[in-house]
Amino acid sequence: MAEFSVIDQYFSRSALHGDELGVGDDSALLTPPHGQQLVICTDTLIAGRHFPLSTSAHAIGWKSVAVNLSDIAAMGAKPHSILLALSLPKVDHDWLSEFSRGLYQCCDQFGVHLIGGDTTQSPHLTITVTALGYVDRQQAVCRSGAQVGDYVVVSGQVGDAAYGLAHLGSALQQRLDYPTPRCELGQRLKGLASSMIDVSDGLAQDLGHILKASHVGAQLDLEQLPLDPALEALENTAKWQFALAGGDDYELCFTISPEHFEQLQPHSLDTKITKIGQITAQQQLTYHYQGQDYPLQLHGYQHFA
């Protein structure tokens, strides 16, 4: 089946308006809203590396979009559109139908358009999505703004996806296959959070990127980590390995002043948020458990391990 036939059959839907142009030409055309900046990110998913080979095509389609929207959310931006580069071992119509259905369901839920991309043949299934969004000029939330005294806060639960990967068939596999990008929360945190990152490689490792960029440290209270009952039932070392180093959660970890935290009104948010620690002047990440120092040696996901 020819490349353009695959595109026409599975990836040609477009809902752009006005003078914007999506799938069907050499390039897409977008008009940035006045007073806003363009936010761009990209992620590649490889079969057997970023998802189990048994993962359904629908889930792969959903996740390939969701992990990119999570990066847009982590900047406090509103997602707008995606580009898709898809490398396929062969043209499998059943697989493509389910993959495109999952992809478009995630796009539809978060108001995103597929505006272009590329398809080709390859020995390995590889999906690369580039996401675009907009944020008010000079209002993007970066990693470098954490201040001593800020709270460290995380959305949702951590460790679910890693537990699901280790226990395929369990209820938490859903969180591995269908992560929820916190797009609404990310936009709500614009102007309030001092720094932010999405948790893709493990909470400890990703928080470490904030600490390095901001030249600060943090103390985390282990008993405050928001965990699923399945993780709470584990012994401490195992549950903290999942929660702090497991990765694939795609929750938002952010720092925020106590005053701004009080303005958030958690009951009005689309997901729960939990204060798990505080930013310190000492430039390292430390852990406390039941009021005592608790040394841990953890390593998050390594892309070239």
Side-chain angles (χ1 to χ4, degrees), residues 105-120:
Q105 282 189 354
C106 190
C107 285
D108 289 346
Q109 181 165 328
F110 295 98
V112 169
H113 310 289
L114 174 63
I115 59 171
D118 188 34
T119 59
T120 190

Side-chain angles (χ1 to χ4, degrees), residues 93-244:
H93 291 285
D94 290 338
W95 190 93
L96 281 166
S97 178
E98 282 301 290
F99 173 82
S100 61
R101 191 170 68 88
L103 179 143
Y104 276 122
Q105 282 189 354
C106 190
C107 285
D108 289 346
Q109 181 165 328
F110 295 98
V112 169
H113 310 289
L114 174 63
I115 59 171
D118 188 34
T119 59
T120 190
Q121 188 173 27
S122 167
H124 304 288
L125 172 62
T126 304
I127 305 111
T128 298
V129 169
T130 298
L132 302 92
Y134 297 112
V135 66
D136 293 336
R137 189 172 296 276
Q138 306 301 322
Q139 290 295 305
V141 185
C142 300
R143 300 177 180 181
S144 56
Q147 301 292 315
V148 174
D150 284 352
Y151 293 155
V152 179
V153 185
V154 70
S155 66
Q157 296 179 168
V158 289
D160 291 0
Y163 183 95
L165 178 61
H167 301 83
L168 295 178
S170 69
L172 288 183
Q173 185 181 341
Q174 184 79 1
R175 292 271 288 137
L176 171 71
D177 292 345
Y178 292 93
T180 303
R182 303 302 184 184
C183 296
E184 180 181 333
L185 176 61
Q187 293 171 68
R188 289 283 298 274
L189 290 170
K190 183 181 62 178
L192 296 176
S194 55
S195 69
M196 185 154 53
I197 194 170
D198 81 319
V199 180
S200 55
D201 296 332
L203 175 60
Q205 181 166 295
D206 290 323
L207 174 58
H209 296 318
I210 286 180
L211 304 184
K212 181 178 180 180
S214 300
H215 307 289
V216 294
Q219 176 187 298
L220 294 189
D221 298 316
L222 294 173
E223 62 266 36
Q224 299 302 319
L225 294 174
L227 305 180
D228 188 88
L231 274 74
E232 287 285 14
L234 302 175
E235 55 92 15
N236 285 345
T237 302
K239 70 182 178 185
W240 291 332
Q241 176 67 32
F242 283 130
L244 293 166

Side-chain angles (χ1 to χ4, degrees), residues 12-18 20 22-23 80 104 108 112-115:
S12 61
R13 194 186 82 181
S14 182
L16 295 176
H17 303 289
E20 295 190 322
V23 175
H80 177 273
Y104 276 122
D108 289 346
V112 169
H113 310 289
L114 174 63
I115 59 171

Side-chain angles (χ1 to χ4, degrees), residues 1 25 32 54 73 101 123 154 173 194 205 244 257 259 279 296:
M1 190 175 189
D25 222 300
S54 60
R101 191 170 68 88
V154 70
Q173 185 181 341
S194 55
Q205 181 166 295
L244 293 166
S257 70
E259 296 77 19
I279 296 297
L296 282 175

Side-chain angles (χ1 to χ4, degrees), residues 246-266:
D248 253 11
D249 288 311
Y250 299 101
E251 297 293 347
L252 294 180
C253 176
F254 58 96
T255 63
I256 187 169
S257 70
E259 296 77 19
H260 284 165
F261 186 73
E262 293 300 318
Q263 296 177 31
L264 269 180
Q265 300 178 334

